[in-house]
Amino acid sequence: MTTNMTIDQILWDLKYCDGEFPEAAFQAAREKRTEIIPRLIECIEEATRDADEFESVGTWGHIASLFLLTEFEAKEAFPAILKSMCSESVYELYGDSVTENFPQIAATLAAGPEEFTDVIDDP
C-alpha cells in the first residue's frame, strides 16, 4: 500500500532501487506530489554536489527525481535541474538522458528562453 509510505521511505526506495523499477515509490510520490517536490529538488542538488566532488553518485534518486519533477511539471525545479545539467559531471549523473531527455524536460519546465541566458553566457 503506497499511501502508508513516508516521504523518507519513498526517497529511500527511489535512491536504492537495486536495478528494479521502484513502482510503489513512484506511485507514492505521485500521491504525495506537493509534499515531495522540494525533497526531489534536494535529491538532484545533493547528487550534483556529490558528482562534482567525488565524480560519481552511488544512488539512483536523482534520476527518478528528474522524471517525477518533469511529470509533475514542477517549474520550481528547473533551476536545480539546469544547474545539474551544466555540471562537469553531467554524464556521470545522467548518462544518455542528457541528450535524450533534456530537451523534453526543458520544454516542460522552463518558463521561457530567458532562463537559459546565464547558461548560454557562461563559458
Side-chain angles (χ1 to χ4, degrees):
M1 188 91 167
T2 59
T3 56
N4 293 330
M5 291 180 79
T6 66
I7 299 290
D8 287 335
Q9 289 171 323
I10 295 166
L11 293 172
W12 175 267
D13 285 359
L14 293 175
K15 286 181 179 182
Y16 303 103
C17 58
D18 295 330
E20 291 185 29
F21 182 72
E23 179 63 39
F26 265 76
Q27 185 56 38
R30 289 178 182 115
E31 293 170 7
K32 296 179 187 263
R33 175 186 170 161
T34 304
E35 298 170 70
I36 203 166
I37 285 175
R39 299 286 301 276
L40 295 172
I41 294 169
E42 287 174 10
C43 189
I44 288 174
E45 292 170 337
E46 178 183 304
T48 303
R49 280 190 305 273
D50 288 350
D52 287 343
E53 186 174 343
F54 305 114
E55 298 181 5
S56 69
V57 178
T59 62
W60 296 96
H62 60 289
I63 295 171
S65 295
L66 183 68
F67 288 108
L68 283 166
L69 289 164
T70 303
E71 178 182 326
F72 298 161
E73 297 183 10
K75 294 192 180 300
E76 65 269 32
F78 191 65
I81 292 169
L82 185 58
K83 182 178 180 182
S84 184
M85 290 291 174
C86 293
S87 165
E88 289 184 22
S89 304
V90 67
Y91 287 101
E92 287 77 20
L93 283 165
Y94 301 107
D96 289 339
S97 290
V98 173
T99 53
E100 292 177 12
N101 301 107
F102 185 66
Q104 176 191 357
I105 292 164
T108 301
L109 299 181
E114 63 279 355
E115 287 203 59
F116 296 97
T117 304
D118 291 340
V119 175
I120 291 168
D121 293 339
D122 183 0

